[in-house]
Amino acid sequence: MTNQIPTLAQLHSLVAQQQPQYDDANELDSVLAELRTRPPLVFAGECDELRRKIADVAAGRSFLLQGGDCAENFDSVTAQDIRGKLRVLLSMAVVLTYAAQMPVVKVGRIAGQYAKPRSKDYETRNGVSLPSYRGDGVNSLEFTPAARRHDPTRLIEVYNRSSATLNLLRAFVKGGFADLRTVHTWNSDFVHSSNVEERYETMAAEIERAMAFMVACGVDDASIRTVDLYSSHEALLLEYEHALTRIDSRTLTPYDTSAHMVWVGERTRRIDGAHVEFVRHLRNPIGFKFGPTIRPDEAVELLNRVDPDHEPGRITIITRMGANLVGKVLPELVGAVTSTGREVAWVCDPMHGNTFTSENGYKTRAFADVVAEVNGFFDVHNEMGTWPGGVHIELTGDDVTECVGGVDELDETDLISRYETACDPRLNRNQSLELAFTIAERLSKGIPGRSNAVQAYRLEDF
Ligand code: PEP
Ligand code: CO
C-alpha cells in the first residue's frame, strides 16, 4: 500500500469491466471536479474502527451482519423506507445478539448501493434494443432512449442521496431509535399471525425485562442506547469511487470515503483488472465476492495482491456458491486461503447463487435455498475448524413478495402482489427475521472445538 492512488487514466489502461459508457467527456469531467470538492461521507477513523471489528469477526469473536437492497433507488430515499430497512437490520441483529449471545457487527448495503453489474449490455423489448438498466447511479429503469442514457450527473445524485440516507441513519442509531429498551416497538406494527412474530415478541419481552433489570441496577451505558452501524456498497463505478477517495490527514493514506466498507463483485474481481488495482490502495475494509468458479489458487493470488501484509480485518470474503454447490466448492477455497496463514472474515451471501425465474416470469429465490446455503456454509466451516463469520443478505423492511417460501409460505402466484425490487429479489421482513432465528440457532448450538458460553442456552425457549 502506498499513500498514492492510481489516476483514473491508469485505471482505465487496465481492463475496467461493467463501466458506464459516457458520451460527453466534458460533462463527466465537471461532475468529477464537483465531487472532488464535496466533503467525505464517512470519516477515515470510522473505517479503521470497522476494520478492527472485522478483525474480531475473522478471529471468531463476533458475527457480521451485512444487508440491504440489491439496488437502492433514488425515489426510495424516504424516512419511511430508510427506517424500514434499519428496523429489519437491527431486529435481525438483536435476534443474533440475544439468542446466540454473540456480538454482531452491523453493516448496511445502504447509502451508496446505486450501481449494478449486468450480464447483458443491451435489453431488447419488442424488437427495440436499449442499454440495460445499470442502477440509478448510471441510468433510469424506464425503457426509453433518454432514460437509458448513461448520465454522469447522476453521480452527484448518488452522493446527495447517500448523504441524506447516512444522515438519517446516524440520527436514528445515535438518537434513540436503536435504544434496546424500545426493541418491542420496532415491530409493533406486525400483524400477529405467524410463528416468527410470536418468537420475536417473546424475545423482545425478555430483552425488555433484562434491560429494566439492568437500569434498576444502575447500568445506563451508551451501548444500550445506541448502535454502531456502518455503510457499504459494491465499488463498481470507478469514476465515482475515485472522486470520493481522499488522503486522510492523520495517516496520509487513502480512504474511499463513499462508504466504510466497499466490496468488489464477482464480475469485476479479475486480478489484473481496474477494480482490484483501485481497492488495493485503500485503507478501508474490502470485501470480495467469490462465486463457484473461483479457483482457490486465484483467490490466494488475489488476496496476496490486495493484502500482502495479512492485515487483520482488511479482507472479508463473501462466498455466494449456491445451495447445491457450497458443500462441493467451499472446502477447497477455505483450505487454500487458510493454508497461507491468513485469517479472513468468511461471510455467506446465500442470495446470489440461488436466483431463478419462476414459471410466471419473476426473478426470484426460494427461502429454503437461502437457508440451505447458510447451513451448508456453517457445515463446511465447522468441518474445517474455521469460523463462519457472517451473512450478507438482500432484504427490505417492507412486506414485499419477491422471494418464495418462508413462514408465510409465499408461492409463485404471490409474487404478483408486491414485487417491487429494481434488481434482485429481496427477503421481506418476516423472511429476514426467520432467517435470523435460523442462524441464531446454528450459532447457539456452538461450533465444534470452540468454547461457547452460549451452548447451554436453549433457543427453543423462545
Ligand atoms: C450483488 O451483490 O448485488 C451482486 C451483483 O453480487 P455478485 O457480485 O456476487 O454477483
Ligand atoms: Co443482487
Side-chain angles (χ1 to χ4, degrees), residues 104 127 169 179 233 249 349 408:
V104 174
L169 287 172
D179 193 320
H233 61 259
S249 57
D349 164 0
D408 296 323

Side-chain angles (χ1 to χ4, degrees), residues 290-307:
F290 287 161
T293 58
I294 184 88
R295 289 193 333 269
D297 60 327
E298 185 189 359
V300 166
E301 203 187 332
L302 186 60
L303 301 185
N304 285 342
R305 178 147 181 81
V306 174
D307 176 38

Side-chain angles (χ1 to χ4, degrees), residues 175-429:
F177 181 82
D179 193 320
L180 275 172
R181 288 165 298 186
T182 65
V183 163
H184 229 117
T185 61
W186 298 350
N187 289 297
S188 55
D189 62 335
F190 257 154
V191 187
H192 295 285
S193 59
S194 78
N195 168 274
V196 169
E197 286 105 335
E198 274 170 31
R199 285 169 94 181
Y200 186 82
E201 285 295 304
T202 310
M203 187 197 69
E206 280 214 24
I207 292 175
E208 270 187 4
R209 276 173 59 78
M211 288 298 138
F213 171 71
M214 284 169 67
V215 170
C217 293
V219 179
D220 185 16
D221 193 78
S223 57
I224 296 177
R225 284 181 268 111
T226 66
V227 147
D228 293 329
L229 176 79
Y230 300 93
S231 63
S232 72
H233 61 259
E234 177 173 352
L236 185 66
L237 302 179
L238 291 167
E239 266 77 13
Y240 179 77
E241 304 301 337
H242 191 272
L244 283 179
T245 298
R246 307 289 156 75
I247 305 297
D248 173 35
S249 57
R250 305 161 312 152
T251 56
L252 302 179
T253 51
Y255 288 76
D256 183 345
T257 65
S258 70
H260 297 110
M261 173 190 185
V262 289
W263 75 84
V264 179
E266 163 74 355
R267 277 171 261 199
T268 51
R269 60 165 167 73
R270 52 184 288 173
I271 190 160
D272 55 353
H275 291 83
V276 169
E277 176 58 15
F278 170 64
V279 299
R280 92 186 168 89
H281 293 86
L282 303 175
R283 293 288 293 134
N284 307 59
I286 305 295
F288 284 101
K289 293 279 210 99
F290 287 161
T293 58
I294 184 88
R295 289 193 333 269
D297 60 327
E298 185 189 359
V300 166
E301 203 187 332
L302 186 60
L303 301 185
N304 285 342
R305 178 147 181 81
V306 174
D307 176 38
D309 302 331
H310 295 203
E311 186 181 12
R314 182 107 191 293
I315 300 286
T316 299
I317 297 183
I318 306 162
T319 58
R320 27 88 86 222
M321 303 304 188
N324 52 351
L325 287 177
V326 63
K328 296 193 189 80
V329 292
L330 188 56
E332 228 189 305
L333 176 65
V334 172
V337 172
T338 308
S339 69
T340 63
R342 204 178 260 293
E343 210 169 59
V344 300
W346 289 101
V347 169
C348 173
D349 164 0
M351 315 301 293
H352 288 89
N354 295 307
T355 317
F356 65 95
T357 304
S358 66
E359 298 262 312
N360 51 356
Y362 288 90
K363 192 175 177 190
T364 189
R365 291 160 176 155
F367 184 75
D369 292 340
V370 170
V371 169
E373 179 153 359
V374 169
N375 277 325
F377 169 84
F378 270 86
D379 290 343
V380 168
H381 284 290
N382 286 0
E383 274 156 32
M384 310 219 32
T386 41
W387 174 240
V391 286
H392 178 117
I393 310 289
E394 287 184 347
L395 52 75
T396 170
D398 298 326
D399 299 322
V400 298
T401 57
E402 297 170 5
C403 294
V404 296
V407 65
D408 296 323
E409 296 177 359
L410 299 181
D411 63 27
E412 294 197 355
T413 59
D414 292 315
L415 297 177
I416 299 157
S417 65
R418 274 195 78 179
Y419 193 94
E420 297 172 8
T421 181
C423 196
D424 289 341
R426 303 159 297 177
L427 298 184
N428 63 25
R429 174 167 53 163

